[in-house]
Amino acid sequence: MKLLKLVPENTNLDFMRYRNVALVISLIVTVLAIGFTAVQGLNFGVDFVGGQMIRTTFARPIDVEQLRGRVEGLHLGEANIQEFGGPTTYQIRLPRPGGGANAANLAAERVKSMLAADYPGSRIDSVDTVSGKVSEELAQNGAIAIALAMLGIAIYIWFRFEWQFGVGALLTLGHDVAMTLGFFSFTRLPVDLNVVAAILTIIGYSLNDTVVIYDRIRENLRKYRKMAILPLLNLSLNETLARTVVTSLTVLIALGILMAIGPEVVFGLAIAIFLGVFIGTYSSIYISAPVLVWLGINPSSFVKNEEPDPTAKAEPQRV
Amino acid sequence: MLDFPKWKVWTIFLVIAVGIVLAVPSLFPKSQVETWPSWAPKEQISLGLDLAGGSHLLLEADAVDAAKQRVAAMEDEVSTELRRDPRIEIGDVSTANSRLSFMVRDPTQLDAAVERIRTLTRPVALTGARDWDVAVVDQTRIVLTPTATGSANALKQAMTVARDVVRRRIDPSGTKEVTVINEGDNRILVQVPGVENPEALKKLIGQTARLEFKLVDLQANPQEVAAGHAPAGSQVLPMASGGGAIAVKRRVIVSGDQVTDARQSFDQDGRPVVTLKFNTAGAKRFARVTQENTGKPFAIILDDKVLSAPNINEPILGGSAQISGNFTVQSANDLAISLASGKLPVKLNVVEERSVGPDLGKDSIHKGAIASIVAVLAVIVFMLLTYGRFGVYATAALIVNAFLILGIMAMFNATLTLPGIAGFILTIGAAVDANVLINERIREELRRGRRVLDAIETGYHEARRAIFDANLTHVIAAMLMVYFGSGPVRGFAVVLLIGVVTSFFTAVFFTRMLVALWARRSRPRELHI
């Protein structure tokens, strides 16, 4: 049987040749993403700003404008009504009401009784109401989780490798998180707790890629003491390219299927990770590797404390 | 490479067998699993509310109400204490700003009053701090201010009681799979699977159910009452039905604390009512007061609203009473449950609610399961096309991995949520990464001209470090998610964490064993990978 070879043997792509171009593009896009997020803001879901979200399935297709009118007739603030999944399923979102802790709860109840009265046969699929205080805590915990995950990972890499690698990993992660947030800001997709899970996954995935490449760089630094840093990075990236492509593809296959036929409720989660796979793969090549050049890593700085590796060969086999 | 000792083979197979045995019950419906013989494992993965349908409620103590109730309780204690012999007359009592302040009428008794009130305060910390500060201002006025530790302590106790009360209300029989736990200092998390109507649940939980019987103040001027003013020793309370207000004596005849049993029943006219039974002390008091006040009305008060104010036709001697007040069977039943479960020591507000209808849950799990199966199949096809024989090993690892994840989740009774399914699919995708790393490494070594067995050996050896480092970063991220995350984040992270650990085992040990067993048998001279 002829086996599938997505990446030809012995590739010798000069990744690092474009590192400055990539850097400029990355910088511009990152700044744009951060700027866009800062100006446009994120479309936070009820998890993070409070309020209520009701998903309902009607017995037959309905007139959205009429529904909007009826919801607004309850005077609960500006309603956001979206189709969700199918033509009879809608998501009604209402802002966090003023008043006591029970206000959100009461508002949701009024919407539900309106639906029951005006749309016989309609079904309430889910109700989420989150008070202001809880949503603030959820947002805070989400941010802490992301920040700590980045920091914890960077520290681990610093211990396992060298400080330059830790810094490189941290910059890579910053890049990935900024991109993802920019994407969510641009598309106005709602940011809820699922998206925090997605961002943490992207961090983990991107790191996975970065660590595999770093591991190979470290190995090659020990093996080829006399090789210049740029060819060495190129060599390492080429050696790990097949793995990068195959792994990314399997994850994309799995996520694509989840997006296509999985439950609607996880669509936001799946699309964020799907996107993150691309961003993470790019950044592990064009951010985490070049950073090592700028931080001045070279074989002597890395292996000075170690005994010479007996298996190391004097000359590279291919460059 | 070929040297793979028997004990290792057995250990690996044992781990896998245990994993599969633990996973099996989760693949069958619960009703069926329950009929299995007693020696069979029955632990199942529990489904989260987003999959099974149900309600998740986060209740928070109403801080204002908690402070108010605490002062009111202290006021009771103080007046009871000072009424005892030798009696100390007090006046101008105020409970504003959560402080209790009153005047001692005879200034010469001030020191004695302070002395007696101090005995009412309790030490709360080892440092000797007490739960109330007692101070004298303006020579005649005593002010009791709650201390921070005292309030915190009181809240903590109240929350423990509140948790038990909530549990008894939701599940009087103790059979449903409800979760009622304290969260933080002032919250209770309630999770009830399969609830069709969360509103009824919230009403049931939210009722403080402070029941009191008080005499109606017949001397009160109706106009004054309508304006909200009551004579000294009385108070104005609204009617629960919404129609006006009524003046009642402040003294409580009997309270809900003395109720031993409450049930929904019907009166002579077939209307739903709640029947109560009092404990001995309560029954005695009720008998005495109704004997003394036959012919006069008394008020039945629930959470400071008057349910009804019937006349006392004859003394109530048997220790049981009936509450009527425009009930439906449902509301009478709810009140009966609330009363029987005791009153909530503090008012609880719903600060977070997530309810999922059972139909949506079913739909989600169905779609999630199909997506998982299709994703696994697609990844398997991809692996077979890419790595041939080694793709078969990767596939075996993938399937074993899926069983191990399910088995471990069942063992710890972990909850599978919708994001958990996403985590599962991601783990499947990423789990092959370890095998991809190994297989690509073997390809590389073969290209470098190593002999087959040597290439396999080197491939496994060299890839292991990268796999370890890469997975450990995942573990760090997942652990932080479990610790700091809430709801979906945690559900996702738990699956991810388990998946990373099991995929490390299957990729590094299990496939290596399969490869070693094959290589020992066939001694391959060339390898298609």
Side-chain angles (χ1 to χ4, degrees):
Chain A
M1 193 177 77
K2 183 91 178 65
L3 295 178
L4 192 66
K5 288 237 163 67
L6 293 165
V7 177
E9 285 179 20
N10 291 322
T11 53
N12 195 3
L13 302 173
D14 190 359
F15 288 104
M16 286 304 108
R17 186 173 165 189
Y18 305 106
R19 70 181 203 282
N20 290 325
V21 181
L23 167 78
V24 172
I25 295 173
S26 294
L27 250 177
I28 292 172
V29 178
T30 307
V31 168
L32 277 180
I34 294 173
F36 200 84
T37 312
V39 174
Q40 179 89 1
L42 290 164
N43 177 19
F44 284 117
V46 292
D47 289 348
F48 297 139
V49 290
Q52 48 263 220
M53 191 171 72
I54 298 164
R55 286 191 184 131
T56 177
T57 303
F58 296 100
R60 60 191 70 83
I62 53 129
D63 180 1
V64 189
E65 283 316 307
Q66 191 188 35
L67 175 64
R68 193 183 305 278
R70 283 179 177 160
V71 173
E72 261 152 32
L74 298 171
H75 302 292
L76 294 168
E78 200 182 329
N80 175 329
I81 299 177
Q82 279 177 336
E83 196 181 296
F84 187 78
T88 53
T89 308
Y90 286 87
Q91 174 177 302
I92 303 168
R93 216 186 117 190
L94 292 161
R96 175 171 137 197
N102 265 331
N105 197 6
L106 295 174
E109 255 178 78
R110 287 179 60 194
V111 176
K112 284 199 280 182
S113 30
M114 184 276 289
L115 288 172
D118 293 354
Y119 296 94
S122 66
R123 185 184 87 190
I124 304 287
D125 289 326
S126 73
V127 179
D128 288 290
T129 72
V130 183
S131 77
K133 204 162 139 200
V134 171
S135 60
E136 276 161 28
E137 285 174 18
L138 290 176
Q140 203 182 348
N141 288 347
I144 290 176
I146 292 176
L148 280 181
M150 288 170 66
L151 205 67
I153 290 166
I155 291 173
Y156 172 73
I157 291 183
W158 173 27
F159 273 112
R160 281 289 285 180
F161 295 83
E162 274 289 289
W163 68 267
Q164 289 96 332
F165 290 79
V167 172
L170 204 57
L171 284 176
T172 308
L173 292 181
H175 166 267
D176 297 347
V177 172
M179 289 294 167
T180 313
L181 290 180
F183 170 78
F184 272 91
S185 179
F186 187 72
T187 56
R188 308 301 297 152
L189 281 170
V191 176
D192 54 15
L193 277 171
N194 285 332
V195 173
V196 173
I199 291 177
L200 286 161
T201 310
I202 293 170
I203 290 178
Y205 183 83
S206 168
L207 240 304
N208 213 41
D209 251 17
T210 305
V211 168
V212 169
I213 291 171
Y214 275 5
D215 193 75
R216 188 59 74 104
I217 293 172
R218 177 174 59 179
E219 188 185 321
N220 285 339
L221 279 170
R222 285 180 184 154
K223 243 189 216 169
Y224 313 120
R225 296 281 170 78
K226 299 205 173 87
M227 198 192 250
I229 188 70
L230 285 177
L232 190 136
L233 292 181
N234 268 331
L235 173 69
S236 308
L237 289 171
N238 275 297
E239 282 177 348
T240 49
L241 187 62
R243 173 265 161 194
T244 307
V245 171
V246 173
T247 297
S248 301
L249 257 173
T250 49
V251 177
L252 290 178
I253 289 172
L255 284 169
I257 288 168
L258 184 66
M259 269 156 63
I261 61 171
E264 284 81 23
V265 192
V266 288
F267 186 81
L269 180 78
I271 197 170
I273 302 176
F274 196 85
L275 175 87
V277 172
F278 286 104
I279 299 175
T281 307
Y282 165 82
S283 67
S284 57
I285 293 174
Y286 274 109
I287 309 254
S288 46
V291 165
L292 300 178
V293 183
W294 304 318
L295 295 176
I297 201 143
N298 58 58
S300 63
S301 77
F302 190 64
V303 287
K304 61 186 173 216
N305 299 332
E306 294 183 24
E307 290 296 306
D309 188 346
T311 63
K313 295 182 181 70
E315 289 301 315
Q317 286 175 325
R318 62 192 169 98
V319 176
Chain B
M1 177 70 214
L2 302 184
D3 177 36
F4 212 91
K6 272 230 162 58
W7 68 266
K8 263 193 186 171
V9 176
W10 283 110
T11 312
I12 289 169
F13 272 119
L14 191 70
V15 170
I16 293 168
V18 169
I20 291 175
V21 166
L22 288 174
V24 165
S26 299
L27 302 176
F28 292 91
K30 193 177 175 75
S31 53
Q32 203 176 330
V33 171
E34 275 164 0
T35 65
W36 290 3
S38 58
W39 48 263
K42 294 195 192 65
E43 287 298 314
Q44 287 186 300
I45 294 173
S46 39
L47 294 179
L49 298 178
D50 51 353
L51 293 176
S55 277
H56 157 117
L57 298 172
L58 189 61
L59 309 166
E60 189 177 82
D62 188 321
V64 178
D65 180 69
K68 215 163 84 185
Q69 291 221 34
R70 196 152 173 259
V71 173
M74 196 60 186
E75 184 192 350
D76 260 7
E77 274 189 61
V78 167
S79 60
T80 313
E81 170 63 35
L82 296 183
R83 219 179 285 127
R84 289 199 331 207
D85 218 34
R87 191 180 171 112
I88 297 176
E89 289 288 343
I90 59 170
D92 193 20
V93 182
S94 148
T95 54
N97 300 328
S98 344
R99 291 186 317 175
L100 174 63
S101 139
F102 57 87
M103 220 177 70
V104 178
R105 293 204 189 279
D106 179 358
T108 60
Q109 286 181 310
L110 189 74
D111 288 343
V114 170
E115 194 68 21
R116 278 164 69 177
I117 285 164
R118 280 240 163 83
T119 61
L120 297 177
T121 64
R122 283 160 284 267
V124 281
L126 294 173
T127 54
R130 302 183 87 82
D131 56 354
W132 293 82
D133 278 334
V134 183
V136 178
V137 292
D138 302 344
Q139 270 91 52
T140 54
R141 185 168 282 280
I142 297 176
V143 175
L144 280 93
T145 319
T147 61
T149 23
S151 299
N153 230 25
L155 185 64
K156 200 171 145 196
Q157 281 173 11
M159 291 312 282
T160 312
V161 176
R163 183 197 62 205
D164 295 339
V165 171
V166 168
R167 173 172 283 284
R168 282 197 295 270
R169 284 188 189 179
I170 300 173
D171 190 13
S173 56
T175 50
K176 285 182 242 158
E177 286 177 40
V178 295
T179 309
V180 183
I181 46 169
N182 287 110
E183 279 221 331
D185 299 332
N186 62 345
R187 287 182 182 158
I188 296 171
L189 173 68
V190 178
Q191 291 186 314
V192 191
V195 170
E196 296 272 351
N197 183 5
E199 294 314 314
L201 183 68
K202 280 190 281 184
K203 285 216 177 74
L204 189 59
I205 297 171
Q207 206 161 38
T208 312
R210 186 165 54 227
L211 180 74
E212 291 159 326
F213 290 83
K214 292 178 177 178
L215 286 171
V216 174
D217 187 348
L218 295 171
Q219 267 85 51
N221 178 338
Q223 272 144 12
E224 292 272 292
V225 171
H229 303 300
S234 294
Q235 65 191 128
V236 177
L237 291 178
M239 298 294 292
S241 52
I246 190 170
V248 298
K249 300 273 191 193
R250 277 184 185 273
R251 282 292 294 277
V252 176
I253 309 172
V254 203
S255 74
D257 297 344
Q258 281 146 329
V259 170
T260 54
D261 190 23
R263 285 163 201 282
Q264 183 267 321
S265 60
F266 297 95
D267 65 5
Q268 309 91 295
D269 304 324
R271 282 177 305 209
V273 293
V274 178
T275 312
L276 302 177
K277 276 201 170 53
F278 294 108
N279 64 14
T280 324
K284 261 188 200 158
R285 265 188 73 81
F286 210 50
R288 191 166 53 80
V289 177
T290 49
Q291 259 166 348
E292 288 165 7
N293 295 284
T294 310
K296 293 178 192 162
F298 70 106
I300 303 167
I301 301 153
L302 183 71
D303 294 343
D304 289 337
K305 287 191 187 112
V306 180
L307 285 180
S308 61
N311 273 322
I312 304 170
N313 296 326
E314 53 192 76
I316 299 166
L317 303 172
S320 73
Q322 227 173 45
I323 308 177
S324 54
N326 284 329
F327 293 123
T328 62
V329 174
Q330 179 67 42
S331 65
N333 196 35
D334 285 354
L335 178 60
I337 292 174
S338 303
L339 291 174
S341 61
K343 74 167 185 211
L344 277 181
V346 56
K347 198 173 153 209
L348 298 173
N349 293 321
V350 178
V351 287
E352 185 186 351
E353 181 204 337
R354 293 172 196 275
S355 297
V356 174
D359 293 331
L360 182 69
K362 245 177 248 155
D363 190 48
S364 299
I365 192 164
H366 182 70
K367 280 186 168 169
I370 288 184
S372 300
I373 292 168
V374 175
V376 168
L377 289 178
V379 171
I380 286 174
V381 170
F382 184 58
M383 279 292 111
L384 293 179
L385 286 179
T386 314
Y387 295 120
R389 169 178 289 278
F390 279 62
V392 176
Y393 297 146
T395 298
L398 191 67
I399 293 168
V400 167
N401 192 32
F403 273 103
L404 285 181
I405 294 175
L406 292 179
I408 291 177
M409 288 188 73
M411 188 167 77
F412 290 113
N413 222 323
T415 307
L416 184 68
T417 60
L418 214 47
I421 291 182
F424 186 74
I425 292 180
L426 183 78
T427 314
I428 294 298
V432 292
D433 180 50
N435 282 112
V436 172
L437 274 167
I438 293 166
N439 294 348
E440 289 297 334
R441 198 71 192 222
I442 295 174
R443 277 184 176 178
E444 227 178 282
E445 298 302 327
L446 285 173
R447 280 204 296 270
R448 285 191 181 157
R450 285 191 199 259
R451 280 173 304 136
V452 172
L453 292 182
D454 206 15
I456 296 175
E457 176 73 55
T458 316
Y460 268 93
H461 184 261
E462 293 292 323
R464 189 144 82 178
R465 199 179 46 235
I467 296 171
F468 185 78
D469 278 331
N471 279 325
L472 213 79
T473 52
H474 252 145
V475 169
I476 292 172
M479 285 207 301
L480 289 166
M481 280 193 249
V482 172
Y483 192 74
F484 287 99
S486 44
V489 177
R490 190 174 292 169
F492 178 81
V494 166
V495 177
L496 192 65
L497 190 59
I498 296 173
V500 168
V501 175
T502 55
S503 66
F504 187 78
F505 168 79
T506 53
V508 174
F509 296 107
F510 178 59
T511 64
R512 189 183 174 136
M513 178 191 76
L514 294 179
V515 173
L517 295 180
W518 163 71
R520 193 154 63 187
R521 219 179 38 246
S522 63
R523 306 260 166 195
R525 283 171 180 276
E526 53 181 86
L527 184 62
H528 293 289
I529 183 170

